[in-house]
Amino acid sequence: MKKLLISTLALAATAAFAYPDKPVTMVVPFAAGGPTDKVARDLAVAMGAVLKQTVIVENVGGAGGTLGATKVAKASPDGYTVLLHHIGMATSPGLYRNLPFKTLDDFEYLGMVNDVPMTLIGRPTLPANNYAELVKWLEANKGKVNLANAGLGAASHLCGLLFQQSIKIDMTTVPYKGTGPAMTDLLGGQVDIMCDQTTNTTSQIAGGKVKAYAVTTTKPLTTAALSGLPTLDSQGLKGFNVSIWHGLYAPKGTPAAVAKTLNDALRVALKDADFIKKQEALGAVVVTDARLAPADHKKFVAAEIDKWGPAIKAAGQYAD
Ligand code: ASP
């Protein structure tokens, strides 16, 4: 009997140690082909190599990222479902009155991935060729301008909201399940402008496929394709500073050993030369600081909730 118990315990220990013994699903709360998806697909490859398992990216877009986040919050806490999300983790609590999860309580924080600036872009046929001309065009077309975003809670929503407030011009927002499909419509001229991460806009700007007006961080960017793009801050919107981050999360209750395996794999993946090169080419900066530690990343997200909450409240935007 004693022998049986010992071997059962040993088996259980081996099973825990064997994690992951099947593919891990990385949920992206936005449509395929967009900026979050791009980060996730590269990260999935880099982490999969470390974990020696396939990491499958699953796109669960809708409601500004809250559908995908809800799916992971309610998934089995076994380490086989993780969430790759962004600043929406911190803006959605201020935007949704009935968020189906508690951002700080319902996840194991696994660590931060990168910081990504945003850019303000326009459809290729938009007559404005620089930011000053864009502002004139927006003023002349008040009530007719369509601003694409990825729904309430998305990074594009936050950036677009702050932009509208700053220039005091309201636009009609057109929500998509992600800025991947929004970009398709922008290229086709169905929508006018959009704020989006450089991980989605760099190649379109470099290829001259969209009009590029500004970068949303206070510092200009250094990537070749975007280095000449002026900041909003330097073009009259003093202090305008929106930078997006991505982090990795598992459902609350994921065993500590499994969470540690995932954090260890994340740390190794973020040192992967190929991953770093791909991220840098798209304007993203891979995290190397303390926010790689789950506890520090959680503190950072809590501070971000406090930072963005008042601005969102002041804008009077919310959903059920
Ligand atoms: N860029 C989108 C956003 O606005 C998300 C995405 O499609 O990846 O948050």
Side-chain angles (χ1 to χ4, degrees):
M1 179 65 190
K2 198 172 164 195
K3 218 172 174 184
L4 187 72
L5 186 70
I6 290 169
S7 55
T8 310
L9 286 174
L11 209 69
T14 320
F17 186 70
Y19 169 84
D21 62 2
K22 61 177 183 182
V24 173
T25 298
M26 184 182 283
V27 172
V28 171
F30 296 102
T36 313
D37 181 66
K38 285 196 183 88
V39 172
R41 283 179 196 272
D42 288 343
L43 185 64
V45 171
M47 282 187 74
V50 185
L51 293 167
K52 297 190 174 43
Q53 265 301 340
T54 309
V55 177
I56 302 163
V57 172
E58 184 188 349
N59 299 90
V60 184
T66 59
L67 292 186
T70 303
K71 177 166 182 168
V72 177
K74 300 195 184 312
S76 172
D78 54 11
Y80 290 99
T81 308
V82 295
L83 172 71
L84 189 279
H85 204 350
H86 65 16
I87 195 167
M89 282 292 271
T91 56
S92 54
L95 287 163
Y96 287 82
R97 286 189 288 208
N98 294 305
L99 207 54
F101 56 85
K102 291 195 188 74
T103 306
L104 295 174
D105 297 339
D106 291 352
F107 296 95
E108 302 295 343
Y109 282 60
L110 300 174
M112 187 150 141
V113 177
N114 60 11
D115 287 292
V116 190
M118 300 188 91
T119 45
L120 180 63
I121 57 172
R123 62 176 156 85
T125 47
L126 211 143
N129 287 318
N130 55 47
Y131 179 71
E133 288 178 15
L134 175 71
V135 175
K136 276 196 196 132
W137 184 83
L138 292 172
E139 269 161 4
N141 288 280
K142 267 186 191 163
K144 289 189 268 175
V145 179
N146 288 323
L147 168 82
N149 71 21
L152 218 64
S156 47
H157 166 259
L158 176 71
C159 183
L161 178 68
L162 297 176
F163 178 59
Q164 289 176 82
Q165 279 188 322
S166 305
I167 61 163
K168 300 187 178 54
I169 296 176
D170 286 339
M171 299 167 207
T172 305
T173 50
V174 184
Y176 292 81
K177 284 191 175 172
T179 46
M183 179 67 89
T184 306
D185 275 9
L186 190 86
L187 290 168
Q190 281 93 332
V191 285
D192 299 312
I193 60 167
M194 171 164 81
C195 237
D196 201 17
Q197 286 103 305
T198 56
T199 34
N200 199 28
T201 62
T202 300
S203 60
Q204 307 292 359
I205 293 173
K209 303 246 170 64
V210 293
K211 296 271 169 94
Y213 297 114
V215 49
T216 65
T217 44
T218 43
K219 272 198 204 140
L221 305 181
T222 51
T223 38
L226 305 174
S227 60
L229 200 57
T231 64
L232 281 173
D233 174 85
S234 70
Q235 300 188 93
L237 300 188
K238 201 87 215 105
F240 196 103
N241 192 15
V242 180
S243 182
I244 298 315
W245 43 266
H246 291 94
L248 199 62
Y249 314 89
K252 187 77 186 175
T254 301
V258 169
K260 183 173 180 326
T261 300
L262 287 164
N263 177 256
D264 289 346
L266 175 66
R267 285 172 188 270
V268 178
L270 296 192
K271 288 204 175 115
D272 181 287
D274 191 48
F275 179 74
I276 294 173
K277 204 171 135 206
K278 281 185 178 146
Q279 291 295 297
E280 283 179 353
L282 297 176
V285 180
V286 174
V287 167
T288 52
D289 58 44
R291 295 171 301 171
L292 259 175
D296 284 86
H297 180 49
K298 190 171 178 177
K299 261 191 233 154
F300 172 76
V301 175
E304 286 280 283
I305 294 174
D306 292 344
K307 174 179 166 183
W308 296 112
I312 289 165
K313 241 195 193 124
Q317 296 233 343
Y318 55 81
D320 285 326

